[in-house]
Amino acid sequence: QVQLVESGGGLVQPGGSLRLSCAASGSIFTIYNMAWYRQAPGKERELVAWITRTGNTNYRDSLKGRFTISRDNAKNAVFLQMNSLEPGDTAVYSCNANVVERATDPARSYWGQGTQVTVSS
Protein backbone atom coordinates (compact mmCIF):
# COMPACT_ATOMS: atom_id res chain seq x y z
CA GLN A 1 0.00 0.00 0.00
CA VAL A 2 1.12 3.53 -0.73
CA GLN A 3 0.27 6.72 1.14
CA LEU A 4 0.59 10.28 -0.07
CA VAL A 5 0.72 13.02 2.54
CA GLU A 6 0.53 16.70 1.64
CA SER A 7 1.69 19.61 3.76
CA GLY A 8 2.28 23.33 3.45
CA GLY A 9 -1.21 24.67 3.00
CA GLY A 10 -2.63 27.53 4.98
CA LEU A 11 -3.92 31.07 4.93
CA VAL A 12 -1.96 33.63 2.92
CA GLN A 13 -2.62 37.19 1.82
CA PRO A 14 -3.03 38.07 -1.85
CA GLY A 15 0.37 38.39 -3.46
CA GLY A 16 1.93 35.97 -1.02
CA SER A 17 3.58 32.61 -1.59
CA LEU A 18 3.22 29.07 -0.35
CA ARG A 19 5.16 25.89 -1.00
CA LEU A 20 3.23 22.64 -0.92
CA SER A 21 4.91 19.31 -0.37
CA CYS A 22 3.69 15.77 -0.96
CA ALA A 23 5.60 12.74 0.18
CA ALA A 24 4.85 9.19 -0.88
CA SER A 25 5.59 6.27 1.41
CA GLY A 26 4.99 2.54 1.53
CA SER A 27 5.72 -0.12 -1.02
CA ILE A 28 7.33 1.83 -3.86
CA PHE A 29 9.50 0.54 -6.67
CA THR A 30 9.29 3.68 -8.75
CA ILE A 31 6.98 6.62 -9.40
CA TYR A 32 6.14 7.85 -12.84
CA ASN A 33 4.18 11.06 -13.28
CA MET A 34 3.32 13.15 -10.22
CA ALA A 35 0.78 15.94 -10.28
CA TRP A 36 -1.06 18.57 -8.30
CA TYR A 37 -4.79 19.12 -8.63
CA ARG A 38 -7.07 21.59 -6.92
CA GLN A 39 -10.76 21.86 -6.21
CA ALA A 40 -12.43 25.09 -5.23
CA PRO A 41 -15.82 25.15 -3.48
CA GLY A 42 -18.60 24.44 -5.93
CA LYS A 43 -16.21 23.70 -8.77
CA GLU A 44 -14.82 20.59 -10.37
CA ARG A 45 -11.32 19.37 -9.64
CA GLU A 46 -8.77 20.73 -12.10
CA LEU A 47 -5.22 19.82 -13.00
CA VAL A 48 -2.69 22.39 -11.81
CA ALA A 49 0.59 20.90 -13.00
CA TRP A 50 2.33 17.61 -13.56
CA ILE A 51 5.90 16.40 -13.79
CA THR A 52 7.47 13.29 -15.26
CA ARG A 53 10.08 11.18 -13.53
CA THR A 54 12.75 12.83 -15.67
CA GLY A 55 11.58 16.32 -14.76
CA ASN A 56 9.52 17.41 -17.73
CA THR A 57 6.75 19.72 -16.56
CA ASN A 58 3.38 20.89 -17.76
CA TYR A 59 1.09 23.56 -16.32
CA ARG A 60 -2.45 24.77 -16.54
CA ASP A 61 -2.15 27.67 -18.96
CA SER A 62 -3.60 30.22 -16.56
CA LEU A 63 -1.01 29.35 -13.90
CA LYS A 64 2.16 29.47 -15.96
CA GLY A 65 4.68 31.86 -14.50
CA ARG A 66 3.21 31.82 -10.99
CA PHE A 67 3.36 28.13 -10.05
CA THR A 68 6.37 25.81 -10.26
CA ILE A 69 6.26 22.05 -9.82
CA SER A 70 9.33 20.05 -8.89
CA ARG A 71 10.17 16.65 -7.43
CA ASP A 72 12.80 14.78 -5.49
CA ASN A 73 12.91 11.19 -6.73
CA ALA A 74 15.16 10.07 -3.90
CA LYS A 75 12.52 11.19 -1.39
CA ASN A 76 9.49 10.19 -3.48
CA ALA A 77 8.25 13.74 -3.11
CA VAL A 78 6.67 16.40 -5.27
CA PHE A 79 6.46 20.10 -4.54
CA LEU A 80 4.41 23.06 -5.73
CA GLN A 81 5.80 26.55 -5.32
CA MET A 82 2.98 29.07 -5.60
CA ASN A 83 3.78 32.75 -5.98
CA SER A 84 1.68 35.89 -6.44
CA LEU A 85 -1.30 34.08 -5.01
CA GLU A 86 -4.78 35.38 -5.77
CA PRO A 87 -8.12 34.80 -4.05
CA GLY A 88 -9.08 32.65 -7.05
CA ASP A 89 -6.35 30.20 -6.07
CA THR A 90 -8.27 29.28 -2.93
CA ALA A 91 -8.93 25.54 -3.06
CA VAL A 92 -8.06 22.17 -1.65
CA TYR A 93 -4.84 21.06 -3.31
CA SER A 94 -4.21 17.34 -3.74
CA CYS A 95 -1.27 15.43 -5.09
CA ASN A 96 -1.48 12.43 -7.35
CA ALA A 97 1.18 9.88 -8.19
CA ASN A 98 1.42 6.95 -10.57
CA VAL A 99 3.22 4.36 -8.48
CA VAL A 100 4.76 1.04 -9.38
CA GLU A 101 4.91 -1.00 -6.19
CA ARG A 102 6.89 -3.96 -7.52
CA ALA A 103 9.00 -4.23 -10.64
CA THR A 104 6.46 -6.45 -12.40
CA ASP A 105 3.39 -4.44 -11.38
CA PRO A 106 1.58 -1.91 -13.55
CA ALA A 107 1.43 1.65 -12.28
CA ARG A 108 -1.44 2.56 -9.97
CA SER A 109 -2.82 5.99 -9.26
CA TYR A 110 -2.75 7.21 -5.67
CA TRP A 111 -4.11 10.41 -4.12
CA GLY A 112 -3.27 12.40 -1.05
CA GLN A 113 -5.93 13.64 1.34
CA GLY A 114 -5.56 17.26 0.26
CA THR A 115 -4.40 20.45 1.91
CA GLN A 116 -6.40 23.68 2.13
CA VAL A 117 -5.00 26.83 0.59
CA THR A 118 -6.88 30.03 1.38
CA VAL A 119 -5.89 33.35 -0.17
CA SER A 120 -7.55 36.21 1.62
CA SER A 121 -6.80 39.55 3.20
Side-chain angles (χ1 to χ4, degrees):
Q1 194 69 2
V2 173
Q3 297 81 39
L4 300 182
V5 178
E6 299 104 334
S7 60
L11 173 65
V12 63
Q13 292 187 343
S17 298
L18 281 176
R19 177 178 168 85
L20 304 182
S21 300
C22 172
S25 63
S27 177
I28 298 172
F29 175 73
T30 193
I31 302 177
Y32 292 144
N33 293 351
M34 303 183 82
W36 285 98
Y37 287 76
R38 69 183 184 183
Q39 186 167 21
K43 296 186 177 180
E44 293 188 356
R45 184 170 60 193
E46 62 183 24
L47 176 64
V48 173
W50 57 274
I51 184 168
T52 69
R53 178 166 177 78
T54 56
N56 293 320
T57 58
N58 286 273
Y59 297 90
R60 188 172 191 81
D61 285 345
S62 60
L63 301 177
K64 289 180 181 178
R66 294 196 299 122
F67 288 17
T68 303
I69 190 171
S70 60
R71 65 188 286 173
D72 184 334
N73 290 334
K75 296 181 178 180
N76 292 323
V78 63
F79 310 96
L80 185 68
Q81 178 67 43
M82 304 184 294
N83 298 327
S84 302
L85 284 162
E86 305 168 353
D89 296 318
T90 295
V92 174
Y93 286 71
S94 301
C95 66
N96 172 266
N98 290 311
V99 181
V100 176
E101 297 181 46
R102 295 178 298 182
T104 56
D105 288 344
R108 290 180 61 186
S109 179
Y110 286 92
W111 290 88
Q113 81 288 353
T115 185
Q116 177 69 46
V117 171
T118 302
V119 184
S120 175
S121 55

